Amino acid sequence: METTLRGVGVSHGVAIGEVRHMGTAVLEPPAKQIPAEEAEREQGRARQAVEAVAADLIARGNLAGGEAQHVLEAQAMMAQDPELMADVDRRIAVGSTAERGVYDAFAAYRALLANAGEYLAGRVADLDDVRNRIVARLLGVPMPGVPDSDEPYVLIARDLAPADTALLDPTLVLGFVTEEGGPTSHSAILARALGVPAVVALPGAGELAEGTVIAVDGSTGEIFVEPTADKRAELEAAAAARRAALSASTGPGATSDGHKVPLLANIGGPADVPAAVEAGAEGVGLFRTEFLFLDDSKQAPSEEKQIEAYRKVLEAFPEGRVVVRVLDAGADKPLDFLTPAEEPNPALGVRGLRSLLEHPDVLRTQLTALAKAVKGLPVYLEVMAPMVADRTDAKAFADACRAAGLQAKFGAMVEIPSAALRARSILQEVEFLSLGTNDLAQYTFAADRQVGAVSRLQDPWQPALLDLVAASADAAKAEGKSCGVCGEAAADPLLACVLTGLGVTSLSMGAKAIPYVRATLAKHTLAQCERAAAAARATDTADEARAAAQAVLSGE
């Protein structure tokens, strides 16, 4: 009998297939004591296992490329963390085996993060995956991971670590469903990059029996268990219609009555450029430059290295627009040379622009590198600061840009409610705004963007969040300036129409989402988008907002 479950849809598309479950997590190793003379040998075993796992993660990243590569390289750095390894050595020195020392050291760090309630608690799944891989190697058992199968299937897991998601084979893994995670987790972001339909935050997903046929709608978040023939036909027809609309839609982003909405790509570096160009991106709306810095947490990359990376991206979009976000370090992206070693709550501490203003040499080098990289190129460079709270922040950033001789537009990201509420004040110092809806939701609702338990509050359809978007767009319009969205909200085709109706002037997203958004915008007039936006803001919940907008745009 067909039943329907609902999670959070995070990657568009429909997948129909049999359930296969993720490999079982590594069992807890026995707590047995070793003689003192074996400690040095066990310490060596632990170090070898850590280095092997780190090398495997880097190799997986090299194969995956793009944003996945940066995520996996960060995970490899987590495996090699010197403080963790020192703790492992200490535990082995007092009698633990290598595997038990690793298990207990990681458990202690895990508890520290979770109990402190820090923003880094969102990386617990990544930490668990690193631990499991190291312990599995030490025990000589198979790595936890994607099941072996000759036939296509839908993958079910409690959560997916980046190392697993990055190398999913789309010809075999039709889609995936997880019990945990949120719309802005690493797994969700990588699923969109891969173009694999995905639903997260579905309680009880692990109870679906192996071999059960399910249909996954990554757009609505619905899971149909044992779908009827009629339901399958309905979903497959909808998917076919969507594919036809995608192939028919080309050119710049615009509504059906010609209102232009530039569609830009979010990238992490030069490796992401080919996919953006292939998708027809009109430029880059968010160049996350922090991935250049995460390659080495001990020191900033040289000016020459930065110039090379920036120029590769800028050259790919002649006559296009490239928006570069200066280094956004802190919280879940700590850098030893820049961010404080200990903060009670890094998400609310010295991160983003705050870090750069405390280390003006790092900001000056990056801005100088950008000034040199763009010289002589026919591209429209725009540079923006993360985590701008008020006009004082905006002025400090604009002054730094001018001091570096940067010939570009200067902008501010709106990620803090104060910036949305005082957007006109900020726009006295900068020339554009860019809304980071992921962090804006996090700070508006006090809901960690990596915690599945509060995913309801991370939903970009929340009316309160739409109000802040509208306030920012209205301020930009009043000042005759632009206001884009570069958060994951822009990747939702229906929400893209609402954002357009709220007055947003450009949309930036992962490359895979651009065709979906372009095709959907092309079906509706600006007036319809405005009515949908008004209907969504008139509701009280995210579900009601989504339904209200859908009703307007479908003519119901």
Side-chain angles (χ1 to χ4, degrees), residues 110-162:
R110 186 188 200 282
L112 176 67
L113 295 181
N115 293 337
E118 298 180 0
Y119 187 85
L120 280 174
R123 291 292 172 260
V124 163
D126 295 4
L127 184 71
D128 287 347
D129 181 61
V130 172
R131 177 204 65 201
N132 289 349
R133 290 174 186 278
I134 297 171
V135 172
R137 183 170 288 275
L138 288 166
L139 291 175
V141 300
M143 292 282 179
V146 178
D148 291 328
S149 176
D150 295 329
E151 298 296 324
Y153 60 91
V154 176
L155 181 62
I156 306 292
R158 180 166 185 175
D159 201 354
L160 281 172

Side-chain angles (χ1 to χ4, degrees), residues 335-353:
L335 292 171
D336 294 345
F337 66 88
L338 193 69
T339 51
E342 293 183 9
E343 285 186 299
N345 191 331
L348 302 179
V350 183
R351 64 168 295 198
L353 180 61

